[in-house]
Amino acid sequence: QVQLVESGGGLVQPGGSLRLSCAASGSIFDMNVMRWYRQAPGKEREFVATVTSGGSTNYADSVKGRFTTSIDNAKNTVLLQMNSLKPEDTAVYYCYGNVKGPMGYGDYWGKGTLVTVST
């Protein structure tokens, strides 16, 4: 059974930084595509960033230049470095993965970690 667990959320002032981590546990053979999504209060879940097992990345326009995602295949971990945070970045951040486990490729979600940007 593959599980994704996010960590690193918290309260930060505008202009500050946070680093989120998504750890995949279980028998992992390939972290094919990993994505970060976020959901602000009263809004729909939105795409934030993508990283592939080969290290290719893509970002939403709203975070481009401020957020950086990376993958450590050896540690089955994906990171999201968030800089120059704004109040509008406040949301629950979710990790999604298309991951190969013992039963083949499947889609998995973490339970989320809350990021609050406020004075």
Side-chain angles (χ1 to χ4, degrees), residues 25-77:
S25 64
S27 297
I28 309 296
F29 299 105
D30 180 32
M31 297 172 70
N32 183 35
V33 176
M34 305 297 294
R35 295 192 177 105
W36 291 94
Y37 290 82
R38 66 186 182 186
Q39 187 167 17
K43 296 187 177 180
E44 293 188 352
R45 192 172 296 189
E46 65 175 4
F47 165 77
V48 175
T50 294
V51 61
T52 69
S53 58
S56 297
T57 57
N58 190 33
Y59 300 91
D61 287 343
S62 59
V63 307
K64 205 170 289 184
R66 300 188 298 123
F67 290 11
T68 302
T69 189
S70 59
I71 191 168
D72 186 333
N73 290 299
K75 296 182 179 179
N76 293 331
T77 299

mmCIF file of all heavy atoms in Angstrom, residues 25-77:
data_model
loop_
_atom_site.group_PDB
_atom_site.id
_atom_site.type_symbol
_atom_site.label_atom_id
_atom_site.label_comp_id
_atom_site.label_asym_id
_atom_site.label_seq_id
_atom_site.Cartn_x
_atom_site.Cartn_y
_atom_site.Cartn_z
ATOM 1 N N SER A 25 5.516 6.337 1.268
ATOM 2 C CA SER A 25 5.898 5.139 2.010
ATOM 3 C C SER A 25 5.259 3.914 1.378
ATOM 4 O O SER A 25 4.304 4.018 0.615
ATOM 5 C CB SER A 25 5.481 5.264 3.472
ATOM 6 O OG SER A 25 4.080 5.346 3.573
ATOM 7 N N GLY A 26 5.794 2.765 1.716
ATOM 8 C CA GLY A 26 5.353 1.523 1.109
ATOM 9 C C GLY A 26 6.410 1.048 0.125
ATOM 10 O O GLY A 26 7.529 1.559 0.096
ATOM 11 N N SER A 27 6.059 0.069 -0.677
ATOM 12 C CA SER A 27 6.993 -0.437 -1.683
ATOM 13 C C SER A 27 6.875 0.433 -2.932
ATOM 14 O O SER A 27 5.938 0.296 -3.694
ATOM 15 C CB SER A 27 6.680 -1.897 -2.007
ATOM 16 O OG SER A 27 6.848 -2.713 -0.873
ATOM 17 N N ILE A 28 7.824 1.333 -3.108
ATOM 18 C CA ILE A 28 7.805 2.300 -4.204
ATOM 19 C C ILE A 28 8.813 1.888 -5.259
ATOM 20 O O ILE A 28 9.992 1.733 -4.967
ATOM 21 C CB ILE A 28 8.140 3.713 -3.702
ATOM 22 C CG1 ILE A 28 7.269 4.096 -2.512
ATOM 23 C CG2 ILE A 28 8.008 4.725 -4.846
ATOM 24 C CD1 ILE A 28 5.800 4.203 -2.799
ATOM 25 N N PHE A 29 8.351 1.737 -6.510
ATOM 26 C CA PHE A 29 9.247 1.387 -7.594
ATOM 27 C C PHE A 29 9.516 2.561 -8.520
ATOM 28 O O PHE A 29 10.546 2.615 -9.185
ATOM 29 C CB PHE A 29 8.684 0.208 -8.384
ATOM 30 C CG PHE A 29 8.508 -1.034 -7.556
ATOM 31 C CD1 PHE A 29 7.254 -1.445 -7.146
ATOM 32 C CD2 PHE A 29 9.604 -1.790 -7.176
ATOM 33 C CE1 PHE A 29 7.082 -2.591 -6.375
ATOM 34 C CE2 PHE A 29 9.454 -2.928 -6.395
ATOM 35 C CZ PHE A 29 8.195 -3.320 -6.003
ATOM 36 N N ASP A 30 8.556 3.492 -8.582
ATOM 37 C CA ASP A 30 8.731 4.650 -9.457
ATOM 38 C C ASP A 30 7.774 5.744 -9.024
ATOM 39 O O ASP A 30 6.589 5.492 -8.876
ATOM 40 C CB ASP A 30 8.452 4.272 -10.917
ATOM 41 C CG ASP A 30 8.612 5.444 -11.875
ATOM 42 O OD1 ASP A 30 9.456 6.327 -11.605
ATOM 43 O OD2 ASP A 30 7.909 5.483 -12.908
ATOM 44 N N MET A 31 8.319 6.936 -8.800
ATOM 45 C CA MET A 31 7.479 8.114 -8.562
ATOM 46 C C MET A 31 7.365 8.834 -9.895
ATOM 47 O O MET A 31 8.104 9.769 -10.172
ATOM 48 C CB MET A 31 8.102 8.989 -7.477
ATOM 49 C CG MET A 31 8.192 8.281 -6.137
ATOM 50 S SD MET A 31 9.144 9.211 -4.913
ATOM 51 C CE MET A 31 8.057 10.570 -4.592
ATOM 52 N N ASN A 32 6.470 8.381 -10.728
ATOM 53 C CA ASN A 32 6.378 8.804 -12.114
ATOM 54 C C ASN A 32 6.129 10.305 -12.228
ATOM 55 O O ASN A 32 6.923 11.030 -12.830
ATOM 56 C CB ASN A 32 5.262 8.025 -12.807
ATOM 57 C CG ASN A 32 5.139 8.361 -14.269
ATOM 58 O OD1 ASN A 32 6.114 8.623 -14.941
ATOM 59 N ND2 ASN A 32 3.906 8.367 -14.760
ATOM 60 N N VAL A 33 5.013 10.754 -11.686
ATOM 61 C CA VAL A 33 4.648 12.171 -11.707
ATOM 62 C C VAL A 33 4.131 12.542 -10.337
ATOM 63 O O VAL A 33 3.250 11.874 -9.810
ATOM 64 C CB VAL A 33 3.559 12.485 -12.760
ATOM 65 C CG1 VAL A 33 3.146 13.949 -12.686
ATOM 66 C CG2 VAL A 33 4.046 12.129 -14.154
ATOM 67 N N MET A 34 4.684 13.617 -9.791
ATOM 68 C CA MET A 34 4.256 14.100 -8.484
ATOM 69 C C MET A 34 3.781 15.541 -8.633
ATOM 70 O O MET A 34 4.432 16.337 -9.340
ATOM 71 C CB MET A 34 5.402 14.010 -7.475
ATOM 72 C CG MET A 34 6.022 12.636 -7.343
ATOM 73 S SD MET A 34 4.883 11.394 -6.721
ATOM 74 C CE MET A 34 4.598 11.994 -5.043
ATOM 75 N N ARG A 35 2.683 15.867 -7.993
ATOM 76 C CA ARG A 35 2.145 17.224 -8.112
ATOM 77 C C ARG A 35 1.773 17.784 -6.744
ATOM 78 O O ARG A 35 1.460 17.031 -5.815
ATOM 79 C CB ARG A 35 0.906 17.241 -9.015
ATOM 80 C CG ARG A 35 1.188 16.881 -10.452
ATOM 81 C CD ARG A 35 -0.001 17.204 -11.344
ATOM 82 N NE ARG A 35 0.313 16.916 -12.748
ATOM 83 C CZ ARG A 35 -0.151 15.860 -13.401
ATOM 84 N NH1 ARG A 35 -0.945 14.999 -12.793
ATOM 85 N NH2 ARG A 35 0.186 15.659 -14.655
ATOM 86 N N TRP A 36 1.800 19.082 -6.673
ATOM 87 C CA TRP A 36 1.291 19.809 -5.517
ATOM 88 C C TRP A 36 0.031 20.551 -5.953
ATOM 89 O O TRP A 36 0.010 21.185 -7.026
ATOM 90 C CB TRP A 36 2.317 20.800 -4.996
ATOM 91 C CG TRP A 36 3.508 20.159 -4.368
ATOM 92 C CD1 TRP A 36 4.690 19.869 -4.982
ATOM 93 C CD2 TRP A 36 3.628 19.721 -3.016
ATOM 94 N NE1 TRP A 36 5.542 19.286 -4.078
ATOM 95 C CE2 TRP A 36 4.916 19.184 -2.873
ATOM 96 C CE3 TRP A 36 2.782 19.737 -1.906
ATOM 97 C CZ2 TRP A 36 5.384 18.654 -1.655
ATOM 98 C CZ3 TRP A 36 3.251 19.215 -0.720
ATOM 99 C CH2 TRP A 36 4.529 18.691 -0.597
ATOM 100 N N TYR A 37 -0.980 20.457 -5.116
ATOM 101 C CA TYR A 37 -2.210 21.210 -5.285
ATOM 102 C C TYR A 37 -2.472 21.965 -3.994
ATOM 103 O O TYR A 37 -1.885 21.658 -2.949
ATOM 104 C CB TYR A 37 -3.403 20.285 -5.567
ATOM 105 C CG TYR A 37 -3.380 19.634 -6.916
ATOM 106 C CD1 TYR A 37 -2.635 18.482 -7.151
ATOM 107 C CD2 TYR A 37 -4.122 20.159 -7.974
ATOM 108 C CE1 TYR A 37 -2.621 17.876 -8.395
ATOM 109 C CE2 TYR A 37 -4.113 19.559 -9.230
ATOM 110 C CZ TYR A 37 -3.360 18.417 -9.430
ATOM 111 O OH TYR A 37 -3.340 17.826 -10.672
ATOM 112 N N ARG A 38 -3.341 22.952 -4.057
ATOM 113 C CA ARG A 38 -3.740 23.657 -2.847
ATOM 114 C C ARG A 38 -5.217 24.024 -2.918
ATOM 115 O O ARG A 38 -5.782 24.164 -4.002
ATOM 116 C CB ARG A 38 -2.891 24.907 -2.636
ATOM 117 C CG ARG A 38 -3.074 25.998 -3.675
ATOM 118 C CD ARG A 38 -2.063 27.121 -3.433
ATOM 119 N NE ARG A 38 -2.245 28.203 -4.389
ATOM 120 C CZ ARG A 38 -1.421 29.247 -4.470
ATOM 121 N NH1 ARG A 38 -0.366 29.361 -3.654
ATOM 122 N NH2 ARG A 38 -1.658 30.201 -5.363
ATOM 123 N N GLN A 39 -5.793 24.149 -1.741
ATOM 124 C CA GLN A 39 -7.198 24.535 -1.654
ATOM 125 C C GLN A 39 -7.356 25.571 -0.558
ATOM 126 O O GLN A 39 -7.124 25.279 0.625
ATOM 127 C CB GLN A 39 -8.089 23.322 -1.381
ATOM 128 C CG GLN A 39 -9.561 23.646 -1.452
ATOM 129 C CD GLN A 39 -10.429 22.403 -1.495
ATOM 130 O OE1 GLN A 39 -10.001 21.295 -1.166
ATOM 131 N NE2 GLN A 39 -11.657 22.564 -1.935
ATOM 132 N N ALA A 40 -7.716 26.769 -0.976
ATOM 133 C CA ALA A 40 -7.955 27.856 -0.040
ATOM 134 C C ALA A 40 -9.384 27.769 0.476
ATOM 135 O O ALA A 40 -10.248 27.181 -0.178
ATOM 136 C CB ALA A 40 -7.714 29.193 -0.727
ATOM 137 N N PRO A 41 -9.652 28.357 1.628
ATOM 138 C CA PRO A 41 -11.009 28.323 2.181
ATOM 139 C C PRO A 41 -12.036 28.874 1.197
ATOM 140 O O PRO A 41 -11.852 29.966 0.643
ATOM 141 C CB PRO A 41 -10.910 29.209 3.422
ATOM 142 C CG PRO A 41 -9.474 29.152 3.809
ATOM 143 C CD PRO A 41 -8.711 29.046 2.521
ATOM 144 N N GLY A 42 -13.078 28.102 0.949
ATOM 145 C CA GLY A 42 -14.151 28.538 0.066
ATOM 146 C C GLY A 42 -13.838 28.469 -1.412
ATOM 147 O O GLY A 42 -14.628 28.922 -2.239
ATOM 148 N N LYS A 43 -12.677 27.901 -1.760
ATOM 149 C CA LYS A 43 -12.286 27.820 -3.169
ATOM 150 C C LYS A 43 -12.038 26.369 -3.576
ATOM 151 O O LYS A 43 -11.890 25.485 -2.737
ATOM 152 C CB LYS A 43 -11.034 28.653 -3.427
ATOM 153 C CG LYS A 43 -11.229 30.145 -3.209
ATOM 154 C CD LYS A 43 -10.015 30.937 -3.643
ATOM 155 C CE LYS A 43 -10.235 32.427 -3.496
ATOM 156 N NZ LYS A 43 -9.042 33.204 -3.928
ATOM 157 N N GLU A 44 -11.986 26.155 -4.887
ATOM 158 C CA GLU A 44 -11.717 24.829 -5.402
ATOM 159 C C GLU A 44 -10.209 24.533 -5.330
ATOM 160 O O GLU A 44 -9.379 25.441 -5.304
ATOM 161 C CB GLU A 44 -12.210 24.712 -6.846
ATOM 162 C CG GLU A 44 -13.719 24.793 -6.987
ATOM 163 C CD GLU A 44 -14.185 24.474 -8.400
ATOM 164 O OE1 GLU A 44 -13.341 24.332 -9.290
ATOM 165 O OE2 GLU A 44 -15.411 24.370 -8.592
ATOM 166 N N ARG A 45 -9.901 23.247 -5.332
ATOM 167 C CA ARG A 45 -8.508 22.827 -5.336
ATOM 168 C C ARG A 45 -7.860 23.263 -6.651
ATOM 169 O O ARG A 45 -8.459 23.111 -7.720
ATOM 170 C CB ARG A 45 -8.413 21.310 -5.170
ATOM 171 C CG ARG A 45 -7.031 20.797 -4.880
ATOM 172 C CD ARG A 45 -7.055 19.314 -4.533
ATOM 173 N NE ARG A 45 -7.794 19.063 -3.293
ATOM 174 C CZ ARG A 45 -7.821 17.881 -2.684
ATOM 175 N NH1 ARG A 45 -7.139 16.858 -3.194
ATOM 176 N NH2 ARG A 45 -8.517 17.715 -1.579
ATOM 177 N N GLU A 46 -6.648 23.778 -6.565
ATOM 178 C CA GLU A 46 -5.967 24.243 -7.768
ATOM 179 C C GLU A 46 -4.552 23.677 -7.850
ATOM 180 O O GLU A 46 -3.912 23.397 -6.839
ATOM 181 C CB GLU A 46 -5.900 25.775 -7.814
ATOM 182 C CG GLU A 46 -5.067 26.415 -6.728
ATOM 183 C CD GLU A 46 -4.937 27.926 -6.892
ATOM 184 O OE1 GLU A 46 -5.548 28.506 -7.810
ATOM 185 O OE2 GLU A 46 -4.201 28.536 -6.086
ATOM 186 N N PHE A 47 -4.084 23.526 -9.073
ATOM 187 C CA PHE A 47 -2.751 23.019 -9.342
ATOM 188 C C PHE A 47 -1.697 24.047 -8.927
ATOM 189 O O PHE A 47 -1.868 25.248 -9.143
ATOM 190 C CB PHE A 47 -2.629 22.713 -10.839
ATOM 191 C CG PHE A 47 -1.222 22.524 -11.324
ATOM 192 C CD1 PHE A 47 -0.539 21.344 -11.068
ATOM 193 C CD2 PHE A 47 -0.573 23.528 -12.028
ATOM 194 C CE1 PHE A 47 0.754 21.165 -11.507
ATOM 195 C CE2 PHE A 47 0.715 23.357 -12.488
ATOM 196 C CZ PHE A 47 1.389 22.180 -12.226
ATOM 197 N N VAL A 48 -0.596 23.551 -8.361
ATOM 198 C CA VAL A 48 0.501 24.418 -7.962
ATOM 199 C C VAL A 48 1.774 24.096 -8.755
ATOM 200 O O VAL A 48 2.367 24.980 -9.368
ATOM 201 C CB VAL A 48 0.796 24.283 -6.451
ATOM 202 C CG1 VAL A 48 2.032 25.105 -6.057
ATOM 203 C CG2 VAL A 48 -0.410 24.712 -5.637
ATOM 204 N N ALA A 49 2.184 22.819 -8.730
ATOM 205 C CA ALA A 49 3.456 22.463 -9.369
ATOM 206 C C ALA A 49 3.510 20.976 -9.655
ATOM 207 O O ALA A 49 2.829 20.177 -8.994
ATOM 208 C CB ALA A 49 4.627 22.852 -8.470
ATOM 209 N N THR A 50 4.317 20.618 -10.650
ATOM 210 C CA THR A 50 4.557 19.236 -11.054
ATOM 211 C C THR A 50 6.053 18.954 -11.089
ATOM 212 O O THR A 50 6.836 19.826 -11.485
ATOM 213 C CB THR A 50 4.000 18.971 -12.461
ATOM 214 O OG1 THR A 50 2.589 19.085 -12.446
ATOM 215 C CG2 THR A 50 4.369 17.576 -12.947
ATOM 216 N N VAL A 51 6.426 17.756 -10.687
ATOM 217 C CA VAL A 51 7.793 17.287 -10.906
ATOM 218 C C VAL A 51 7.721 15.816 -11.300
ATOM 219 O O VAL A 51 6.922 15.057 -10.765
ATOM 220 C CB VAL A 51 8.676 17.479 -9.659
ATOM 221 C CG1 VAL A 51 8.150 16.712 -8.464
ATOM 222 C CG2 VAL A 51 10.128 17.133 -9.950
ATOM 223 N N THR A 52 8.520 15.451 -12.284
ATOM 224 C CA THR A 52 8.559 14.059 -12.733
ATOM 225 C C THR A 52 9.746 13.339 -12.106
ATOM 226 O O THR A 52 10.639 13.969 -11.524
ATOM 227 C CB THR A 52 8.667 13.971 -14.260
ATOM 228 O OG1 THR A 52 9.965 14.448 -14.645
ATOM 229 C CG2 THR A 52 7.588 14.794 -14.941
ATOM 230 N N SER A 53 9.778 12.019 -12.280
ATOM 231 C CA SER A 53 10.889 11.245 -11.728
ATOM 232 C C SER A 53 12.215 11.657 -12.359
ATOM 233 O O SER A 53 13.278 11.511 -11.748
ATOM 234 C CB SER A 53 10.650 9.752 -11.950
ATOM 235 O OG SER A 53 10.493 9.472 -13.325
ATOM 236 N N GLY A 54 12.150 12.209 -13.571
ATOM 237 C CA GLY A 54 13.347 12.679 -14.238
ATOM 238 C C GLY A 54 13.749 14.085 -13.859
ATOM 239 O O GLY A 54 14.781 14.589 -14.312
ATOM 240 N N GLY A 55 12.921 14.741 -13.024
ATOM 241 C CA GLY A 55 13.256 16.073 -12.548
ATOM 242 C C GLY A 55 12.653 17.226 -13.331
ATOM 243 O O GLY A 55 12.915 18.389 -13.013
ATOM 244 N N SER A 56 11.840 16.930 -14.346
ATOM 245 C CA SER A 56 11.185 18.005 -15.084
ATOM 246 C C SER A 56 10.124 18.649 -14.214
ATOM 247 O O SER A 56 9.419 17.959 -13.469
ATOM 248 C CB SER A 56 10.551 17.457 -16.364
ATOM 249 O OG SER A 56 11.537 16.936 -17.221
ATOM 250 N N THR A 57 9.997 19.972 -14.320
ATOM 251 C CA THR A 57 9.059 20.695 -13.468
ATOM 252 C C THR A 57 8.151 21.608 -14.286
ATOM 253 O O THR A 57 8.482 22.005 -15.411
ATOM 254 C CB THR A 57 9.804 21.550 -12.434
ATOM 255 O OG1 THR A 57 10.682 22.455 -13.116
ATOM 256 C CG2 THR A 57 10.615 20.681 -11.482
ATOM 257 N N ASN A 58 7.021 21.932 -13.690
ATOM 258 C CA ASN A 58 6.088 22.877 -14.277
ATOM 259 C C ASN A 58 5.343 23.548 -13.134
ATOM 260 O O ASN A 58 5.101 22.906 -12.082
ATOM 261 C CB ASN A 58 5.094 22.161 -15.199
ATOM 262 C CG ASN A 58 4.277 23.128 -16.012
ATOM 263 O OD1 ASN A 58 4.755 24.186 -16.394
ATOM 264 N ND2 ASN A 58 3.025 22.772 -16.279
ATOM 265 N N TYR A 59 4.987 24.819 -13.319
ATOM 266 C CA TYR A 59 4.380 25.583 -12.244
ATOM 267 C C TYR A 59 3.162 26.368 -12.711
ATOM 268 O O TYR A 59 3.073 26.790 -13.870
ATOM 269 C CB TYR A 59 5.402 26.582 -11.667
ATOM 270 C CG TYR A 59 6.631 25.932 -11.101
ATOM 271 C CD1 TYR A 59 7.750 25.717 -11.897
ATOM 272 C CD2 TYR A 59 6.671 25.526 -9.769
ATOM 273 C CE1 TYR A 59 8.891 25.113 -11.382
ATOM 274 C CE2 TYR A 59 7.801 24.919 -9.246
ATOM 275 C CZ TYR A 59 8.900 24.719 -10.061
ATOM 276 O OH TYR A 59 10.025 24.113 -9.542
ATOM 277 N N ALA A 60 2.252 26.609 -11.786
ATOM 278 C CA ALA A 60 1.161 27.529 -12.035
ATOM 279 C C ALA A 60 1.743 28.938 -12.144
ATOM 280 O O ALA A 60 2.731 29.262 -11.488
ATOM 281 C CB ALA A 60 0.149 27.463 -10.896
ATOM 282 N N ASP A 61 1.107 29.755 -12.956
ATOM 283 C CA ASP A 61 1.600 31.120 -13.144
ATOM 284 C C ASP A 61 1.660 31.886 -11.822
ATOM 285 O O ASP A 61 2.541 32.723 -11.614
ATOM 286 C CB ASP A 61 0.708 31.868 -14.136
ATOM 287 C CG ASP A 61 0.900 31.394 -15.559
ATOM 288 O OD1 ASP A 61 1.924 30.737 -15.849
ATOM 289 O OD2 ASP A 61 0.020 31.670 -16.395
ATOM 290 N N SER A 62 0.731 31.591 -10.934
ATOM 291 C CA SER A 62 0.632 32.330 -9.681
ATOM 292 C C SER A 62 1.820 32.087 -8.746
ATOM 293 O O SER A 62 2.048 32.888 -7.825
ATOM 294 C CB SER A 62 -0.664 31.963 -8.960
ATOM 295 O OG SER A 62 -0.715 30.583 -8.703
ATOM 296 N N VAL A 63 2.566 31.009 -8.959
ATOM 297 C CA VAL A 63 3.692 30.695 -8.069
ATOM 298 C C VAL A 63 5.033 30.687 -8.795
ATOM 299 O O VAL A 63 6.079 30.546 -8.165
ATOM 300 C CB VAL A 63 3.485 29.342 -7.354
ATOM 301 C CG1 VAL A 63 2.138 29.304 -6.647
ATOM 302 C CG2 VAL A 63 3.618 28.179 -8.322
ATOM 303 N N LYS A 64 4.993 30.847 -10.100
ATOM 304 C CA LYS A 64 6.223 30.787 -10.891
ATOM 305 C C LYS A 64 7.211 31.854 -10.419
ATOM 306 O O LYS A 64 6.845 33.019 -10.215
ATOM 307 C CB LYS A 64 5.863 30.978 -12.369
ATOM 308 C CG LYS A 64 6.851 30.383 -13.346
ATOM 309 C CD LYS A 64 6.292 30.412 -14.768
ATOM 310 C CE LYS A 64 5.165 29.415 -14.940
ATOM 311 N NZ LYS A 64 4.683 29.366 -16.344
ATOM 312 N N GLY A 65 8.454 31.435 -10.221
ATOM 313 C CA GLY A 65 9.481 32.362 -9.742
ATOM 314 C C GLY A 65 9.570 32.456 -8.238
ATOM 315 O O GLY A 65 10.539 33.005 -7.696
ATOM 316 N N ARG A 66 8.569 31.939 -7.532
ATOM 317 C CA ARG A 66 8.575 31.982 -6.058
ATOM 318 C C ARG A 66 8.680 30.582 -5.447
ATOM 319 O O ARG A 66 9.274 30.410 -4.394
ATOM 320 C CB ARG A 66 7.308 32.655 -5.539
ATOM 321 C CG ARG A 66 7.126 34.074 -6.010
ATOM 322 C CD ARG A 66 5.949 34.755 -5.309
ATOM 323 N NE ARG A 66 4.686 34.090 -5.599
ATOM 324 C CZ ARG A 66 3.877 33.597 -4.670
ATOM 325 N NH1 ARG A 66 4.188 33.658 -3.386
ATOM 326 N NH2 ARG A 66 2.728 33.024 -5.025
ATOM 327 N N PHE A 67 8.067 29.600 -6.102
ATOM 328 C CA PHE A 67 8.049 28.225 -5.593
ATOM 329 C C PHE A 67 8.966 27.359 -6.448
ATOM 330 O O PHE A 67 9.067 27.546 -7.662
ATOM 331 C CB PHE A 67 6.647 27.633 -5.645
ATOM 332 C CG PHE A 67 5.654 28.226 -4.673
ATOM 333 C CD1 PHE A 67 5.922 29.378 -3.953
ATOM 334 C CD2 PHE A 67 4.419 27.599 -4.479
ATOM 335 C CE1 PHE A 67 5.006 29.906 -3.068
ATOM 336 C CE2 PHE A 67 3.489 28.120 -3.598
ATOM 337 C CZ PHE A 67 3.784 29.274 -2.897
ATOM 338 N N THR A 68 9.606 26.388 -5.800
ATOM 339 C CA THR A 68 10.452 25.423 -6.503
ATOM 340 C C THR A 68 10.158 24.031 -5.958
ATOM 341 O O THR A 68 10.190 23.820 -4.740
ATOM 342 C CB THR A 68 11.940 25.739 -6.291
ATOM 343 O OG1 THR A 68 12.219 27.061 -6.733
ATOM 344 C CG2 THR A 68 12.806 24.757 -7.083
ATOM 345 N N THR A 69 9.889 23.102 -6.865
ATOM 346 C CA THR A 69 9.668 21.728 -6.445
ATOM 347 C C THR A 69 10.811 20.843 -6.930
ATOM 348 O O THR A 69 11.424 21.122 -7.970
ATOM 349 C CB THR A 69 8.309 21.201 -6.956
ATOM 350 O OG1 THR A 69 8.047 19.926 -6.354
ATOM 351 C CG2 THR A 69 8.290 21.065 -8.464
ATOM 352 N N SER A 70 11.102 19.811 -6.151
ATOM 353 C CA SER A 70 12.184 18.902 -6.506
ATOM 354 C C SER A 70 11.842 17.512 -6.008
ATOM 355 O O SER A 70 10.957 17.342 -5.160
ATOM 356 C CB SER A 70 13.510 19.372 -5.903
ATOM 357 O OG SER A 70 13.416 19.457 -4.502
ATOM 358 N N ILE A 71 12.539 16.528 -6.552
ATOM 359 C CA ILE A 71 12.269 15.139 -6.201
ATOM 360 C C ILE A 71 13.569 14.447 -5.808
ATOM 361 O O ILE A 71 14.622 14.701 -6.397
ATOM 362 C CB ILE A 71 11.579 14.404 -7.380
ATOM 363 C CG1 ILE A 71 11.046 13.039 -6.945
ATOM 364 C CG2 ILE A 71 12.521 14.276 -8.575
ATOM 365 C CD1 ILE A 71 10.113 12.426 -7.989
ATOM 366 N N ASP A 72 13.484 13.617 -4.770
ATOM 367 C CA ASP A 72 14.608 12.778 -4.352
ATOM 368 C C ASP A 72 14.134 11.341 -4.471
ATOM 369 O O ASP A 72 13.458 10.826 -3.582
ATOM 370 C CB ASP A 72 15.021 13.105 -2.928
ATOM 371 C CG ASP A 72 16.282 12.376 -2.486
ATOM 372 O OD1 ASP A 72 16.545 11.279 -3.023
ATOM 373 O OD2 ASP A 72 16.985 12.878 -1.611
ATOM 374 N N ASN A 73 14.450 10.717 -5.606
ATOM 375 C CA ASN A 73 13.954 9.364 -5.868
ATOM 376 C C ASN A 73 14.509 8.347 -4.868
ATOM 377 O O ASN A 73 13.830 7.387 -4.522
ATOM 378 C CB ASN A 73 14.317 8.947 -7.294
ATOM 379 C CG ASN A 73 13.535 9.713 -8.339
ATOM 380 O OD1 ASN A 73 12.314 9.642 -8.380
ATOM 381 N ND2 ASN A 73 14.232 10.479 -9.155
ATOM 382 N N ALA A 74 15.723 8.575 -4.399
ATOM 383 C CA ALA A 74 16.335 7.636 -3.450
ATOM 384 C C ALA A 74 15.604 7.638 -2.110
ATOM 385 O O ALA A 74 15.504 6.612 -1.439
ATOM 386 C CB ALA A 74 17.802 7.976 -3.261
ATOM 387 N N LYS A 75 15.084 8.815 -1.732
ATOM 388 C CA LYS A 75 14.380 8.950 -0.458
ATOM 389 C C LYS A 75 12.865 8.929 -0.610
ATOM 390 O O LYS A 75 12.146 9.076 0.370
ATOM 391 C CB LYS A 75 14.821 10.239 0.231
ATOM 392 C CG LYS A 75 16.291 10.274 0.622
ATOM 393 C CD LYS A 75 16.637 11.565 1.339
ATOM 394 C CE LYS A 75 18.099 11.587 1.756
ATOM 395 N NZ LYS A 75 18.465 12.860 2.454
ATOM 396 N N ASN A 76 12.388 8.760 -1.844
ATOM 397 C CA ASN A 76 10.933 8.766 -2.118
ATOM 398 C C ASN A 76 10.273 10.007 -1.531
ATOM 399 O O ASN A 76 9.218 9.932 -0.881
ATOM 400 C CB ASN A 76 10.272 7.499 -1.553
ATOM 401 C CG ASN A 76 10.719 6.257 -2.277
ATOM 402 O OD1 ASN A 76 11.052 6.299 -3.462
ATOM 403 N ND2 ASN A 76 10.737 5.136 -1.584
ATOM 404 N N THR A 77 10.887 11.145 -1.779
ATOM 405 C CA THR A 77 10.426 12.400 -1.203
ATOM 406 C C THR A 77 10.369 13.486 -2.268
ATOM 407 O O THR A 77 11.225 13.544 -3.148
ATOM 408 C CB THR A 77 11.373 12.840 -0.068
ATOM 409 O OG1 THR A 77 11.364 11.851 0.958
ATOM 410 C CG2 THR A 77 10.925 14.161 0.524
#
